[in-house]
Amino acid sequence: MDGREVHGFVEVSPGRRPLPAGRQHHAGTGGAARAGAGTRGRPRRPARVPTVSFAGGSRSLDCPPYLPWPGADGRGSDLSDLVFSGADAHYRGDLQTAAAQFEAALRLSPDNAFARNQLGLVYAKQQQWERAMMQFQQVARKERDNTFARLWIGILYLQKGDLARARGAFEEVLALDPSNADACYFIGTIHYIGREPAEAIRYLRRARDA
């Protein structure tokens, strides 16, 4: 299956398409990252976008670049090195090393939303669903407006087959960002599964037009 595995309703693939340079951002900092910028003088690798396939469809998700903007947390070079190393390992597909580096970064800076979101994504790829959920939920509790964490909470509820909670999570994303195409897409797909074609079409059109 081209390196992908299906679990419950959801299929997660690492993806191959680089993020458009103008849409790269750093989760939890609120600031845009300069396209092509690196950390401590090192070049940024092109980020890859996970693809989620759901009920026969698929969607490539915009997410924070794998290499973070230096100094965003204000905790110095040790933390930056750990996050950079974790991000680089994540990009290369070395999930065990990536998890270890992000875990070490969080021991230094427990409120680092970028590291925690990326650790949650690594856990999800390792099929550690509950551990992944815990990371995203912790970010969502600390940062109400962190739509990346809330989107993945919804995806993990989909993985469990809990469509009601998944829809609730996606609706929380839309409450914060009414033009969020990913949340519209997944809500539309939930309506499609529920055989509600009119609502499915409405949300899928919103996703298309966002």
Side-chain angles (χ1 to χ4, degrees):
M1 293 191 60
D2 191 27
R4 296 173 292 183
E5 297 185 15
V6 178
H7 307 279
F9 285 94
V10 178
E11 177 183 340
V12 180
S13 170
R16 299 177 179 82
R17 178 176 61 84
L19 281 171
R23 296 184 67 183
Q24 293 182 350
H25 64 282
H26 188 296
T29 66
R34 266 178 266 170
T39 301
R40 293 168 63 84
R42 290 170 285 198
R44 181 189 300 277
R45 296 174 183 265
R48 293 188 295 179
V49 181
T51 297
V52 175
S53 296
F54 175 43
S58 66
R59 184 164 192 84
S60 295
L61 300 177
D62 288 341
C63 60
Y66 285 90
L67 304 189
W69 184 243
D73 41 52
R75 293 298 301 270
S77 61
D78 290 344
L79 178 61
S80 296
D81 284 344
L82 286 169
V83 175
F84 184 97
S85 297
D88 187 60
H90 189 186
Y91 176 87
R92 291 183 285 103
D94 184 354
L95 300 182
Q96 184 174 355
T97 298
Q101 295 298 300
F102 289 131
E103 288 165 355
L106 288 168
R107 285 193 289 272
L108 290 177
S109 179
D111 292 334
N112 187 297
F114 178 88
R116 197 167 292 283
N117 272 336
Q118 291 297 294
L119 181 59
L121 189 55
V122 170
Y123 283 158
K125 291 179 180 180
Q126 292 176 320
Q127 304 173 34
Q128 299 187 60
W129 311 116
E130 294 303 321
R131 296 183 76 184
M133 180 70 86
M134 288 175 61
Q135 302 307 312
F136 294 126
Q137 287 178 332
Q138 188 163 337
V139 173
R141 283 194 297 269
K142 292 281 187 179
E143 297 187 358
R144 182 182 175 276
D145 62 348
N146 196 303
T147 55
F148 180 84
R150 293 184 183 279
L151 187 71
W152 276 93
I153 289 170
I155 291 170
L156 291 173
Y157 278 132
L158 285 181
Q159 189 277 329
K160 295 172 67 174
D162 191 337
L163 301 186
R165 288 186 177 181
R167 178 176 172 177
F170 297 134
E171 287 175 344
E172 288 177 354
V173 173
L174 288 181
L176 296 166
D177 177 13
S179 63
N180 189 290
D182 296 320
C184 289
Y185 171 82
F186 286 117
I187 291 176
T189 309
I190 290 170
H191 282 298
Y192 176 80
I193 290 175
R195 300 189 178 185
E196 300 171 308
E199 285 298 289
I201 290 171
R202 184 167 73 90
Y203 276 97
L204 292 173
R205 282 178 174 167
R206 282 181 64 181
R208 179 198 64 190
D209 297 338

